[in-house]
Amino acid sequence: MNKSCGIFCALLSALLFSCATNNVQEVPQWVANYRSVYPTSEFIAQRGEGATAEEAMANGDELIARSIQTTVDTAFEANTKSFVVGSGAEAVASQEVKTENRTEITSTVTLLNVEHPVTFYNKAEKKWYAMSVIDREEAWKRYVPNVEVAQVAFNAAFKKATSEDEPFIANVYYRAAWEAGKILLERLEYARVISEVKEAAYKTERDNIASIPARMLQNNLDSSLSLSVKGDNSNIIAQAVSSTFSSFGFTVGETAGNYKLDVTISDNATGDEETLYKIYPDIKIAITGKSGKTVYSYALKWTEANGQAAGTIERAERLAFQKLAERIKAEVPIDYRAKMGIKEE
């Protein structure tokens, strides 16, 4: 090879190398390792990918939404269940962890203000990359008003419950506080995703929510019922009333309790021994405290077109009271739940 040929070959090689080097696309650091560019301490970030820039951004948004919602759902359910203590109807009722006003994934993402600061098309992979980023500080400013609204609602309900002297009535307010507390708790889980440090300021509210099942259980124990039934026959009505209120976790007995459970039965009888006795019984149930304040009442009236007929009053009562006992078991729980704010399971 002569000298001129060698020089030409060298120049050609250099030119080809230069062209090849220029064709190598430099990949941004955030594509290779986005955590180093968007540290977890400052950002909630996900890298999305897709056939177009828009598809990559949407993929990143979906990944953020899924991550947030999964974290909230897991923590919310676990924490709410852990608040249930003791046993009995009140504790069991408090195991409900569903809440009505759940924040949807889409509105959560919108609320937290996801941004897309960078996109990149990888020629070799023929794929777009995009960052979906939430600035934690800015997200907190946007989200904290939602927490504060729920905080005010819970604290008002909790204060009303703790200020009530009648334990029977206090549980009505504690149930309202529990429902408000579940909404607050869920919002706090979103807040914790944004900033654990700032969310820690709500520890008092978390502790108060956690204390509600135990407080309700103790109030039930302090609301023992002393049963008195007038006009019964073979304890038919007494047994129905006793079993019904026992199912709500109350101690029901004939000895002196903190509350009186008075049941009055009226036969409203017609007829006599020569014809047929016919009765149209009605029942009045009332629970009163030592102060004389009525905290619950319910009345059942004979609703059938005809009275209960029999040759004796006792026979008519036994037949009619069996029907009324079944109505007590069916109607009183529904009425009691509605008036006391107990949600159906």
Side-chain angles (χ1 to χ4, degrees), residues 17-290:
F17 177 77
S18 176
C19 291
T21 302
N22 289 336
N23 285 332
V24 175
Q25 187 180 27
E26 184 177 353
V27 178
Q29 178 63 22
W30 63 266
V31 175
N33 181 12
Y34 71 86
R35 297 291 185 192
S36 64
V37 181
Y38 300 97
T40 304
S41 59
E42 299 178 35
F43 303 98
I44 301 172
Q46 290 288 341
R47 187 192 66 200
E49 55 186 66
T52 65
E54 291 74 17
E55 188 177 307
M57 288 187 283
N59 178 237
D61 291 355
E62 182 183 353
L63 292 174
I64 280 186
R66 189 182 304 163
S67 173
I68 291 174
Q69 197 68 47
T70 299
T71 302
V72 170
D73 287 344
T74 302
F76 178 60
E77 183 169 347
N79 286 344
T80 308
K81 283 186 176 178
S82 72
F83 293 157
V84 181
V85 295
S87 59
E90 294 297 339
V92 171
S94 298
Q95 286 190 46
E96 299 174 0
V97 296
K98 295 180 180 177
T99 181
E100 296 297 326
N101 300 317
R102 292 190 60 78
T103 308
E104 297 294 337
I105 290 178
T106 51
S107 62
T108 301
V109 173
T110 302
L111 180 66
L112 298 183
N113 196 34
V114 177
E115 297 181 349
H116 308 98
V118 287
T119 59
F120 172 74
Y121 180 67
N122 191 313
K123 296 177 181 178
E125 297 179 353
K126 296 182 179 180
K127 182 189 297 183
W128 279 92
Y129 290 94
M131 283 304 303
S132 293
V133 179
I134 297 173
D135 183 293
R136 291 184 184 274
E137 192 65 32
E138 288 301 314
W140 181 266
K141 293 177 183 178
R142 288 174 176 271
Y143 191 70
V144 72
N146 294 271
V147 178
E148 291 173 346
V149 168
Q151 178 190 30
V152 169
F154 168 73
N155 283 337
F158 189 77
K159 182 179 180 181
K160 191 172 184 179
T162 55
S163 300
E164 175 58 51
D165 293 331
E166 288 275 10
F168 198 101
I169 297 298
N171 271 2
V172 177
Y173 301 141
Y174 274 124
R175 290 185 191 101
W178 178 254
E179 294 304 315
K182 289 193 292 186
I183 294 173
L184 173 59
L185 181 62
E186 185 179 29
R187 293 184 183 180
L188 286 177
E189 293 304 338
Y190 281 107
R192 179 183 284 181
V193 170
I194 300 170
S195 173
E196 288 190 19
V197 174
K198 288 183 171 64
E199 189 274 338
Y202 297 88
K203 183 178 185 302
T204 297
E205 282 76 13
R206 280 187 174 275
D207 289 345
N208 286 339
I209 295 170
S211 74
I212 289 176
R215 291 171 181 267
M216 293 177 68
L217 187 60
Q218 185 58 52
N219 280 345
N220 253 24
L221 296 175
D222 293 338
S223 300
S224 55
L225 305 176
S226 177
L227 177 62
S228 173
V229 183
K230 297 178 181 178
D232 202 356
N233 185 319
S234 305
N235 288 324
I236 296 172
I237 301 301
Q239 289 175 5
V241 171
S242 179
S243 64
T244 296
F245 284 95
S246 294
S247 70
F248 286 104
F250 292 108
T251 299
V252 182
E254 297 181 358
T255 56
N258 293 329
Y259 289 84
K260 293 180 180 179
L261 174 54
D262 293 319
V263 182
T264 304
I265 307 168
S266 300
D267 282 340
N268 301 312
T270 61
D272 53 40
E273 292 182 4
E274 294 182 0
T275 57
L276 277 177
Y277 283 105
K278 187 176 287 189
I279 64 174
Y280 304 81
D282 58 47
I283 298 174
K284 294 180 181 178
I285 301 172
I287 299 177
T288 57
K290 291 182 178 180

Side-chain angles (χ1 to χ4, degrees), residues 232-245 263 265 281-283 285 298 300-302 304 317-333:
D232 202 356
N233 185 319
S234 305
N235 288 324
I236 296 172
I237 301 301
Q239 289 175 5
V241 171
S242 179
S243 64
T244 296
F245 284 95
V263 182
I265 307 168
D282 58 47
I283 298 174
I285 301 172
Y298 188 70
L300 289 90
K301 291 187 175 295
W302 187 262
E304 296 184 20
E317 286 178 345
R318 283 195 296 273
L319 294 172
F321 288 5
Q322 290 288 354
K323 297 178 182 179
L324 291 176
E326 293 305 312
R327 285 184 56 194
I328 288 171
K329 295 175 184 178
E331 295 176 24
V332 173

